[in-house]
Amino acid sequence: QVQLVESGGGLVQAGGSLRLSCTASDGYTFRSYGMGWFRQAPGKEREFVADISAGYGYTTYADSVKGRFTISRDNAKNTLYLQMNRLKPEDTAVYYCSRRASPWSDEYKYWGQGTQVTVSS
């Protein structure tokens, strides 16, 4: 059973920073899977934020966060990170980490419970 647990959310003023973490329960296989961050704001659909591949750790970002957010992973700690800088009120959302269904799949199948990020103006 794959379990993903996010932490690090909170309330921050615009222009501030937060670092989200996501720890995976399935130990040694963590390094084999692409991982991603998504977010959902009130009244809106869940949207892609960033992802990182297995292996070389290639990264992609949504245009709205490019240059402000950095996704990274520590395979030794089974942990995914999202460093968020220069936060804006429109970044307010519940942030979810997710794991792909399999090492060769594009589908994100497993989700954490989410962590709330609130950016005040």
Side-chain angles (χ1 to χ4, degrees):
Q1 181 72 18
V2 176
Q3 290 189 337
L4 303 172
V5 180
E6 301 99 335
S7 61
L11 173 64
V12 64
Q13 288 188 333
S17 298
L18 283 173
R19 188 175 80 156
L20 305 183
S21 300
C22 170
T23 301
S25 65
D26 60 335
Y28 71 93
T29 59
F30 176 81
R31 66 178 64 247
S32 300
Y33 292 85
M35 300 289 296
W37 286 100
F38 295 76
R39 68 186 181 186
Q40 187 167 20
K44 295 186 177 182
E45 293 186 353
R46 188 176 298 183
E47 64 175 1
F48 168 79
V49 175
D51 66 8
I52 185 167
S53 69
Y56 289 111
Y58 293 121
T59 59
T60 58
Y61 297 91
D63 287 343
S64 58
V65 307
K66 202 171 293 183
R68 299 188 298 121
F69 291 10
T70 302
I71 187 172
S72 61
R73 63 192 300 161
D74 185 334
N75 292 329
K77 296 182 178 179
N78 304 325
T79 301
L80 177 73
Y81 301 100
L82 185 68
Q83 178 66 44
M84 305 185 295
N85 298 328
R86 292 184 284 138
L87 282 160
K88 304 176 181 180
E90 51 264 44
D91 294 319
T92 295
V94 178
Y95 283 71
Y96 300 89
C97 72
S98 183
R99 200 202 81 175
R100 293 185 185 270
S102 69
W104 51 87
S105 172
D106 290 334
E107 175 195 4
Y108 281 97
K109 182 176 180 179
Y110 301 97
W111 300 87
Q113 83 288 351
T115 186
Q116 176 71 47
V117 172
T118 303
V119 184
S120 63
S121 58

